[in-house]
Amino acid sequence: MQEGCWRASIYNRMYHPRGYVPREDGGMMVEYQSLVNDVTLWNVAVERQIQVKGPDAEAFVNYVITRDATKIPVMRARYVILCNEAGGILNDPILLRVAIDEFWFSLSDTDLMLWLQGVNVGKGFDVTIAEIDVSPVQVQGPKSVDVIADLVGEEGRTLPSFGLMEAQVGGHDVIISQTGFTGEKGYEIYLKDSTKYAEDMWNAVLAAGYPYNLKVVAPSHHRRIAAGILSWRQDMDFETYPFQVNLSYQVPRKKEADYIGKAKLEEVREQIGAGTPPFRTQLVGLLVGGKPITDYAPDFWLVSATADGDPVGYVTSPWYSPELEANIAMAHVPVDGSALGTVYWVQLPEPFADTPGEPVRAEVVEMPFRPSVNPNQRERLKMNGLDAAV
């Protein structure tokens, strides 16, 4: 609130700042400029940390995520998904392996702790599962590396993507990861005993960022859309298969160990290979007409195959891209209409429509919409012609 937050949402039962610069002063587009040109600080304490610790920690985590937890080194993080038995995506956290017998799930907006505890009631792995007093902030933007180096030393500059390091910020213990929700260079600072020391850490980051024009902003959904980064409950949920939302690489072909959803996901992959996918829509990128979309979409906007046709899909995440000088969006469209170049029509609300009540033209294009400074694993695998993580 001291930094000017004027609106918030609810995320994991916590207030989540969603705007600092007033609309009359440029709103989210001004916040975006700070992210892509300088450095920004985000309050993301809503990313609750669920600790899995004990002799069976690796085996338990390996059972609940689709990827192979045995291949995650200590002091490394991974983007992972957890699925239910029907193959639906329950959560897509960042998973931190902070010790040989300890993992932290940095959560999207779900009660994942209850799910994990419930799984273990039946399975009886020798682990404890609990929320811990650790809260993160994100430091994102091209000058974030300078801020981190000033805070914790030159080691921060050489921290690899998804690497972890122990340090102190504001005189208190933290773990720093080179991760983030942007596609820009960025870090997350996980503060231990955060209910006691949050202000100390926060003020230290502000002070370190001052020479680099650091601004406190809300999470930049326009930048994560451009990078093709998904948002749980917005672009996918527990009724969505990974294959529908460009997460095929999260379903490994060579993981021998069983995991929740494995049988169903392998069945779905076979159906896709046979040309009979058991789902109707596929997430795609769209270039969308209309006036610049410069704020959060309050609803899912309907997509039709013709200007006067019935809805066949819906936009999940739209925003205006200053670099492309166009509206970009993620959208669910029919599987057989997901090819690049396919034309659709989107029903935009009045503030963004060229003509109120009339749809605007949209075209399926490649995601990510523009190159990422820090390509995510899906991007890196795609560059190498791969579709599955090991």
PDB file of all heavy atoms in Angstrom, residues 40-51:
ATOM      1  N   THR A  40      11.874  -4.265 -11.966  1.00  0.00           N
ATOM      2  CA  THR A  40      10.635  -4.162 -11.193  1.00  0.00           C
ATOM      3  C   THR A  40      10.665  -5.127 -10.015  1.00  0.00           C
ATOM      4  O   THR A  40      11.347  -6.151 -10.042  1.00  0.00           O
ATOM      5  CB  THR A  40       9.408  -4.475 -12.070  1.00  0.00           C
ATOM      6  OG1 THR A  40       9.543  -5.802 -12.615  1.00  0.00           O
ATOM      7  CG2 THR A  40       9.260  -3.469 -13.191  1.00  0.00           C
ATOM      8  N   LEU A  41       9.891  -4.776  -8.987  1.00  0.00           N
ATOM      9  CA  LEU A  41       9.735  -5.614  -7.797  1.00  0.00           C
ATOM     10  C   LEU A  41       8.274  -5.966  -7.647  1.00  0.00           C
ATOM     11  O   LEU A  41       7.413  -5.087  -7.686  1.00  0.00           O
ATOM     12  CB  LEU A  41      10.233  -4.857  -6.558  1.00  0.00           C
ATOM     13  CG  LEU A  41      10.003  -5.503  -5.180  1.00  0.00           C
ATOM     14  CD1 LEU A  41      10.704  -6.859  -5.084  1.00  0.00           C
ATOM     15  CD2 LEU A  41      10.472  -4.566  -4.064  1.00  0.00           C
ATOM     16  N   TRP A  42       7.975  -7.263  -7.491  1.00  0.00           N
ATOM     17  CA  TRP A  42       6.601  -7.746  -7.367  1.00  0.00           C
ATOM     18  C   TRP A  42       6.398  -8.409  -6.011  1.00  0.00           C
ATOM     19  O   TRP A  42       7.212  -9.229  -5.584  1.00  0.00           O
ATOM     20  CB  TRP A  42       6.281  -8.808  -8.413  1.00  0.00           C
ATOM     21  CG  TRP A  42       6.555  -8.478  -9.835  1.00  0.00           C
ATOM     22  CD1 TRP A  42       7.108  -7.332 -10.348  1.00  0.00           C
ATOM     23  CD2 TRP A  42       6.295  -9.335 -10.941  1.00  0.00           C
ATOM     24  NE1 TRP A  42       7.203  -7.432 -11.705  1.00  0.00           N
ATOM     25  CE2 TRP A  42       6.710  -8.643 -12.100  1.00  0.00           C
ATOM     26  CE3 TRP A  42       5.757 -10.602 -11.072  1.00  0.00           C
ATOM     27  CZ2 TRP A  42       6.598  -9.194 -13.376  1.00  0.00           C
ATOM     28  CZ3 TRP A  42       5.639 -11.159 -12.328  1.00  0.00           C
ATOM     29  CH2 TRP A  42       6.054 -10.458 -13.471  1.00  0.00           C
ATOM     30  N   ASN A  43       5.297  -8.113  -5.380  1.00  0.00           N
ATOM     31  CA  ASN A  43       4.872  -8.836  -4.186  1.00  0.00           C
ATOM     32  C   ASN A  43       4.097 -10.074  -4.635  1.00  0.00           C
ATOM     33  O   ASN A  43       2.962  -9.981  -5.089  1.00  0.00           O
ATOM     34  CB  ASN A  43       3.987  -7.927  -3.327  1.00  0.00           C
ATOM     35  CG  ASN A  43       3.383  -8.659  -2.137  1.00  0.00           C
ATOM     36  OD1 ASN A  43       3.565  -9.856  -1.958  1.00  0.00           O
ATOM     37  ND2 ASN A  43       2.634  -7.936  -1.338  1.00  0.00           N
ATOM     38  N   VAL A  44       4.739 -11.230  -4.525  1.00  0.00           N
ATOM     39  CA  VAL A  44       4.083 -12.490  -4.908  1.00  0.00           C
ATOM     40  C   VAL A  44       4.067 -13.455  -3.725  1.00  0.00           C
ATOM     41  O   VAL A  44       4.244 -14.669  -3.880  1.00  0.00           O
ATOM     42  CB  VAL A  44       4.747 -13.136  -6.150  1.00  0.00           C
ATOM     43  CG1 VAL A  44       4.464 -12.323  -7.395  1.00  0.00           C
ATOM     44  CG2 VAL A  44       6.256 -13.293  -5.951  1.00  0.00           C
ATOM     45  N   ALA A  45       3.828 -12.920  -2.539  1.00  0.00           N
ATOM     46  CA  ALA A  45       3.715 -13.774  -1.350  1.00  0.00           C
ATOM     47  C   ALA A  45       2.574 -14.770  -1.482  1.00  0.00           C
ATOM     48  O   ALA A  45       2.533 -15.765  -0.746  1.00  0.00           O
ATOM     49  CB  ALA A  45       3.520 -12.913  -0.106  1.00  0.00           C
ATOM     50  N   VAL A  46       1.661 -14.513  -2.428  1.00  0.00           N
ATOM     51  CA  VAL A  46       0.550 -15.452  -2.665  1.00  0.00           C
ATOM     52  C   VAL A  46       1.045 -16.798  -3.170  1.00  0.00           C
ATOM     53  O   VAL A  46       0.294 -17.787  -3.132  1.00  0.00           O
ATOM     54  CB  VAL A  46      -0.460 -14.861  -3.660  1.00  0.00           C
ATOM     55  CG1 VAL A  46      -1.143 -13.638  -3.066  1.00  0.00           C
ATOM     56  CG2 VAL A  46       0.212 -14.504  -4.993  1.00  0.00           C
ATOM     57  N   GLU A  47       2.274 -16.861  -3.663  1.00  0.00           N
ATOM     58  CA  GLU A  47       2.853 -18.145  -4.082  1.00  0.00           C
ATOM     59  C   GLU A  47       3.252 -18.911  -2.821  1.00  0.00           C
ATOM     60  O   GLU A  47       4.420 -18.969  -2.433  1.00  0.00           O
ATOM     61  CB  GLU A  47       4.072 -17.918  -4.986  1.00  0.00           C
ATOM     62  CG  GLU A  47       3.751 -17.233  -6.296  1.00  0.00           C
ATOM     63  CD  GLU A  47       5.006 -16.868  -7.085  1.00  0.00           C
ATOM     64  OE1 GLU A  47       6.107 -17.316  -6.704  1.00  0.00           O
ATOM     65  OE2 GLU A  47       4.891 -16.129  -8.066  1.00  0.00           O
ATOM     66  N   ARG A  48       2.282 -19.483  -2.170  1.00  0.00           N
ATOM     67  CA  ARG A  48       2.548 -20.194  -0.918  1.00  0.00           C
ATOM     68  C   ARG A  48       3.527 -21.350  -1.157  1.00  0.00           C
ATOM     69  O   ARG A  48       3.507 -21.983  -2.210  1.00  0.00           O
ATOM     70  CB  ARG A  48       1.237 -20.718  -0.322  1.00  0.00           C
ATOM     71  CG  ARG A  48       0.309 -19.610   0.172  1.00  0.00           C
ATOM     72  CD  ARG A  48      -0.999 -20.192   0.675  1.00  0.00           C
ATOM     73  NE  ARG A  48      -1.923 -19.169   1.142  1.00  0.00           N
ATOM     74  CZ  ARG A  48      -2.073 -18.817   2.423  1.00  0.00           C
ATOM     75  NH1 ARG A  48      -1.335 -19.398   3.355  1.00  0.00           N
ATOM     76  NH2 ARG A  48      -2.953 -17.902   2.765  1.00  0.00           N
ATOM     77  N   GLN A  49       4.345 -21.614  -0.156  1.00  0.00           N
ATOM     78  CA  GLN A  49       5.379 -22.642  -0.261  1.00  0.00           C
ATOM     79  C   GLN A  49       4.977 -23.874   0.554  1.00  0.00           C
ATOM     80  O   GLN A  49       4.814 -23.796   1.769  1.00  0.00           O
ATOM     81  CB  GLN A  49       6.711 -22.107   0.251  1.00  0.00           C
ATOM     82  CG  GLN A  49       7.163 -20.827  -0.443  1.00  0.00           C
ATOM     83  CD  GLN A  49       7.298 -20.984  -1.928  1.00  0.00           C
ATOM     84  OE1 GLN A  49       8.025 -21.852  -2.402  1.00  0.00           O
ATOM     85  NE2 GLN A  49       6.583 -20.154  -2.688  1.00  0.00           N
ATOM     86  N   ILE A  50       4.816 -25.001  -0.144  1.00  0.00           N
ATOM     87  CA  ILE A  50       4.485 -26.267   0.509  1.00  0.00           C
ATOM     88  C   ILE A  50       5.743 -27.131   0.530  1.00  0.00           C
ATOM     89  O   ILE A  50       6.282 -27.492  -0.511  1.00  0.00           O
ATOM     90  CB  ILE A  50       3.335 -26.992  -0.211  1.00  0.00           C
ATOM     91  CG1 ILE A  50       2.138 -26.067  -0.384  1.00  0.00           C
ATOM     92  CG2 ILE A  50       2.956 -28.255   0.563  1.00  0.00           C
ATOM     93  CD1 ILE A  50       1.627 -25.454   0.905  1.00  0.00           C
ATOM     94  N   GLN A  51       6.179 -27.436   1.733  1.00  0.00           N
ATOM     95  CA  GLN A  51       7.400 -28.217   1.920  1.00  0.00           C
ATOM     96  C   GLN A  51       7.071 -29.707   2.006  1.00  0.00           C
ATOM     97  O   GLN A  51       6.155 -30.110   2.727  1.00  0.00           O
ATOM     98  CB  GLN A  51       8.093 -27.772   3.214  1.00  0.00           C
ATOM     99  CG  GLN A  51       9.354 -28.546   3.561  1.00  0.00           C
ATOM    100  CD  GLN A  51       9.718 -28.350   5.031  1.00  0.00           C
ATOM    101  OE1 GLN A  51       8.975 -28.752   5.923  1.00  0.00           O
ATOM    102  NE2 GLN A  51      10.851 -27.711   5.269  1.00  0.00           N
TER     103      GLN A  51
END
